[in-house]
Amino acid sequence: MEILVKARFNSSRERFETYGRNKYLIYLPFPEDEDSLPILIEILSRQMGIPQKNIIFKRKSVVANDWVFEVN
């Protein structure tokens, strides 16, 4: 199953929202850096109840700024 994540960095607090089927909006209280991907996977794992090893990063859409993951 493919899921899309819109990550909003530098927000006031961490939040997780669903805005469609397999579409999520994650607010993070820090800037985007090299540690962002593991943190997104950790949050998805925690919120969806799926082991982290089953969440695979596929790509980042440049146009829509979506992070695309595959969940096994």
Side-chain angles (χ1 to χ4, degrees):
M1 165 176 65
E2 190 172 272
I3 60 173
L4 298 174
V5 174
K6 286 194 180 289
R8 300 291 186 240
F9 296 94
N10 295 318
S11 67
S12 59
R13 63 186 176 97
E14 184 179 307
R15 281 192 337 225
F16 182 89
E17 298 177 3
T18 302
Y19 71 95
R21 185 174 183 189
N22 300 328
K23 295 180 181 178
Y24 303 98
L25 182 58
I26 299 176
Y27 293 90
L28 299 166
F30 52 81
E32 183 177 358
D33 59 12
E34 65 275 351
D35 296 328
S36 299
L37 180 59
I39 292 170
L40 286 173
I41 291 174
E42 178 186 340
I43 292 171
L44 285 171
S45 172
R46 183 177 60 222
Q47 294 292 330
M48 298 175 71
I50 299 170
Q52 289 185 20
K53 65 179 180 164
N54 292 347
I55 301 173
I56 302 164
F57 177 68
K58 291 180 73 176
R59 66 185 179 279
K60 184 175 178 188
S61 170
V62 178
V63 176
N65 203 24
D66 291 335
W67 298 64
V68 182
F69 294 89
E70 182 72 31
V71 177
N72 296 328

